[in-house]
Amino acid sequence: MNRNMSLSAALRRSPSALALSKLALGSGFGYALALLLSPALTRLYSPSEFGTFAVFGAIVAILSIFFTLSFELAVLGSRTRTDALRFVSVAVSSILIICSAATLLLLILMAIDVTLPLAWWAILAALISCLFASLTQIGINWAIRNDRSGVAARATFTSLVGRSSLQVVFGFGLGGIAGLVIGELLGRFAAWLVADRGVLRSGLRRLRGHRALLRGDFQSEREYALFVTPGVALDTSLVWLPAPLFAFFFDPVAGGFVALVQRLGSAPLTIANQSLGQLFHRRAGQVAMTQKGRLLKFLAGTVALTLPIAVAVGLMLLWSGQPIAAFVLGTEWGAAGFVALAYLPLYYVQFLSLMTNRLMLILGHLRLRLLASTAHLVLMLAVIAVCSYLATDWMIAVAVQALVLAISHLAVFLIVVWLLWHSPVPVDVGSVQG
């Protein structure tokens, strides 16, 4: 199947207002409760333990994308239930193959006594967590595809709240990296139980009975693995890699502060992506070329409305961020206020980029999006490595890295706005309904 046709099909299936509200509420309440549990987590676990756990989290977040090779995204764009089930089977087969290969590789590395970034049992738990995370995403997309947004919302809520609450529970009983890992693993297992609803069984049944068809399905839709997966992996790496990188190049304590701020800062971005981003995508797909002025005014209005809020938050963090962090999170977490201040400009520009990222899809600039994500990742790696080589203080390195990435994202934002205004080819609004 043609790649553009596959993406257009995925974009055409936009959720209804009711479905969108359920998904937004599920993620919103989940993140809110997870944030409320943060003061308990920071009193049960040290910054160093959070920094070590950041390596675990990065493995799960990034590797789970490769487990499915992004075929779960095709479930949303399938025109018929049969096609959706076909993609479920392809995604499940991909999970089984890659999970088995990753487990075998881990056993080989253990046998030859290779030094691993985590204890072998933690990496094994990360692979199992990847398995549950991938199956959960398939179940969520299947539920959305079949107008069962309530199931998707409950699974998202269970994943967010379950992981944090279980980490609190095991923090009292075990503590250390073990409590964080086991809480994460069991929370993802609980989310899969909510999301599955027989989806895995159906996928395995088709897998057993149609192996020849399955190979043909994979060959005809391999564009997802070749084009979509790298882009999603790059975007995910930009979110999850800073904490383990700071833990590796500087100190686990530095990684812990970055991991905590990322945990708190990702909440509003995710909620905005699942509400404002979805609504903007749907409307922009209809008027991107016929009413460009309205979109540009909307973007300008969004900046005018939200920039004063970001500035106010920045001033608050500048004046009293560290005392507030020490009071809310615990005395040893005071530096989180400085890290939050450093990352605020980056998070704000990433919020604006939620809309321009969708414009790149609508305008057909997929290579630009992949190139931009690659550039962001290279800059992040280069800045952290150079600061480490120069023996820069980790707090200064955090500020420099966040500032460079904020400028990089802002440049891409402005480029996409320019492309929107000067794009010469009208978009087929009948085929793009974000």
Side-chain angles (χ1 to χ4, degrees):
M1 181 183 294
N2 180 271
R3 172 181 168 221
N4 290 333
M5 291 176 62
S6 299
L7 289 173
S8 296
L11 293 176
R12 278 197 297 271
R13 291 194 58 85
S14 55
S16 65
L18 178 61
L20 182 62
S21 65
K22 288 182 179 179
L23 292 173
L25 287 174
S27 60
F29 280 124
Y31 272 111
L33 291 178
L35 293 178
L36 289 176
L37 290 171
S38 294
L41 285 170
T42 54
R43 285 168 172 80
L44 292 169
Y45 302 101
S46 68
S48 178
E49 289 165 344
F50 256 93
T52 303
F53 178 70
V55 179
F56 178 95
I59 293 174
V60 175
I62 298 171
L63 190 57
S64 59
I65 295 171
F66 292 96
F67 266 39
T68 62
L69 296 177
S70 299
F71 283 111
E72 84 282 0
L73 298 177
V75 174
L76 286 173
S78 301
R79 296 184 178 182
T80 66
R81 184 182 177 90
T82 300
D83 283 339
L85 182 58
R86 183 164 59 89
F87 282 114
V88 168
S89 299
V90 175
V92 169
S93 66
S94 174
I95 290 173
L96 295 176
I97 293 171
I98 297 177
C99 185
S100 300
T103 303
L104 178 60
L105 177 61
L106 174 61
L107 293 175
I108 293 174
L109 294 176
M110 290 169 54
I112 61 178
D113 199 25
V114 173
T115 302
L116 300 172
L118 292 173
W120 69 267
W121 63 265
I123 296 181
L124 180 60
L127 295 179
I128 299 173
S129 295
C130 286
L131 174 67
F132 290 136
S134 303
L135 293 174
T136 300
Q137 194 56 55
I138 293 173
I140 288 175
N141 286 6
W142 174 266
I144 295 174
R145 162 63 182 75
N146 292 285
D147 298 322
R148 299 172 65 187
S149 56
V151 173
R154 288 193 293 274
T156 302
F157 179 85
T158 302
S159 176
L160 294 168
V161 177
R163 285 181 285 158
S164 293
S165 58
L166 286 170
Q167 285 172 338
V168 170
V169 171
F170 285 103
F172 285 106
L174 291 175
I177 186 68
L180 289 166
V181 167
I182 295 174
E184 177 84 7
L185 175 59
L186 294 181
R188 290 194 179 278
F189 175 69
W192 170 62
L193 292 179
V194 174
D196 183 68
R197 302 297 181 96
V199 178
L200 176 61
R201 184 172 63 251
S202 299
L204 290 174
R205 187 184 300 120
R206 190 180 188 279
L207 179 61
R208 289 195 302 268
H210 304 83
R211 294 183 181 179
L213 289 176
L214 186 66
R215 287 193 294 269
D217 292 340
F218 183 85
Q219 288 295 326
S220 64
E221 301 294 343
R222 63 183 182 275
E223 288 85 359
Y224 278 93
L226 295 176
F227 296 102
V228 178
T229 299
V232 176
L234 285 170
D235 291 340
T236 304
S237 298
L238 285 168
V239 175
W240 287 94
L241 278 184
L245 286 174
F246 275 102
F248 175 78
F249 281 102
F250 292 89
D251 185 86
V253 172
F257 282 113
V258 174
L260 179 66
V261 171
Q262 182 273 327
R263 188 179 186 129
L264 301 176
S266 65
L269 285 176
T270 302
I271 295 171
N273 187 42
Q274 294 176 350
S275 53
L276 177 63
Q278 289 280 22
L279 293 174
F280 177 83
H281 195 153
R282 183 175 185 178
R283 186 57 178 160
Q286 298 169 342
V287 304
M289 298 310 301
T290 58
Q291 302 179 47
K292 295 185 294 185
R294 291 182 60 184
L295 287 180
L296 292 171
K297 288 181 180 178
F298 178 82
L299 291 173
T302 301
V303 173
L305 179 65
T306 57
L307 184 57
I309 298 175
V311 171
V313 173
L315 291 175
M316 180 195 70
L317 291 173
L318 179 63
W319 289 332
S320 54
Q322 297 193 50
I324 291 175
F327 175 76
V328 175
L329 303 173
T331 53
E332 63 179 336
W333 287 92
F338 171 82
V339 177
L341 174 63
Y343 272 95
L344 179 62
L346 174 59
Y347 288 154
Y348 177 69
V349 179
Q350 286 178 330
F351 161 72
L352 297 179
S353 298
L354 293 176
M355 291 170 282
T356 49
N357 285 341
R358 292 171 183 270
L359 281 175
M360 281 189 274
L361 288 176
I362 294 169
L363 298 174
H365 297 298
L366 301 180
R367 292 185 180 180
L368 173 62
R369 184 176 183 185
L370 185 60
L371 178 62
S373 297
T374 303
H376 297 327
L377 184 61
V378 170
L379 283 173
M380 179 183 71
L381 293 171
V383 169
I384 294 176
V386 169
C387 288
S388 175
Y389 176 77
L390 297 176
T392 306
D393 181 80
W394 73 264
M395 297 180 75
I396 296 177
V398 164
V400 173
Q401 180 253 344
L403 178 61
V404 169
L405 280 184
I407 294 173
S408 177
H409 279 85
L410 179 60
V412 175
F413 174 85
L414 295 175
I415 289 172
V416 175
V417 170
W418 186 89
L419 289 172
L420 170 64
W421 183 249
H422 292 89
S423 183
V425 181
V427 173
D428 180 5
V429 296
S431 64
V432 182
Q433 297 288 333

